[in-house]
Amino acid sequence: MEASAFEQNASQRERRAKRENNTQVLESILSELQRLTLHQLEGFGWRLAFVRRPLFQDPIVVVVNCENSKYGVLEDDGSINVEHNIQIRH
């Protein structure tokens, strides 16, 4: 049985609300230097995009600019690496 348009819209709204809460959770796993840098970058329109957690490796924190045109890796020391080898799927 297919979901009605109303149920599909409700489901999409629910996922968006969870995504906002996920930002707080993701931010909680950042180092102090990463958090400081992220807050500074937010002043320039950058935001936390996602955190990749590869098995048996440190998490990879990825930030994106306000136009969603440039991605960077937020390193453990708080520096941002815009010349990374991260594959971004759109």
Side-chain angles (χ1 to χ4, degrees):
M1 179 179 243
E2 287 188 13
S4 69
F6 176 78
E7 291 171 325
Q8 290 174 349
N9 286 340
S11 176
Q12 288 174 349
R13 282 193 304 267
E14 184 177 320
R15 275 187 264 148
R16 284 189 208 115
K18 288 180 184 176
R19 191 172 300 144
E20 290 172 5
N21 292 335
N22 285 342
T23 300
Q24 293 173 347
V25 172
L26 292 175
E27 212 173 295
S28 71
I29 67 170
L30 302 178
S31 72
E32 182 65 26
L33 291 173
Q34 287 172 320
R35 277 194 300 274
L36 289 172
T37 301
L38 178 60
H39 291 301
Q40 291 173 344
L41 288 172
E42 288 172 341
F44 294 98
W46 288 73
R47 63 179 171 78
L48 178 64
F50 57 89
V51 177
R52 285 208 174 141
R53 301 189 74 171
L55 288 175
F56 311 112
Q57 297 179 26
D58 291 332
I60 301 169
V61 180
V62 179
V63 293
V64 62
N65 69 354
C66 59
E67 292 96 22
N68 292 331
S69 62
K70 194 169 213 173
Y71 289 84
V73 174
L74 191 53
E75 303 289 354
D76 291 335
D77 64 359
S79 63
I80 184 169
N81 179 1
V82 293
E83 296 181 13
H84 52 79
N85 60 357
I86 298 289
Q87 293 287 327
I88 306 293
R89 291 175 268 168
H90 295 278

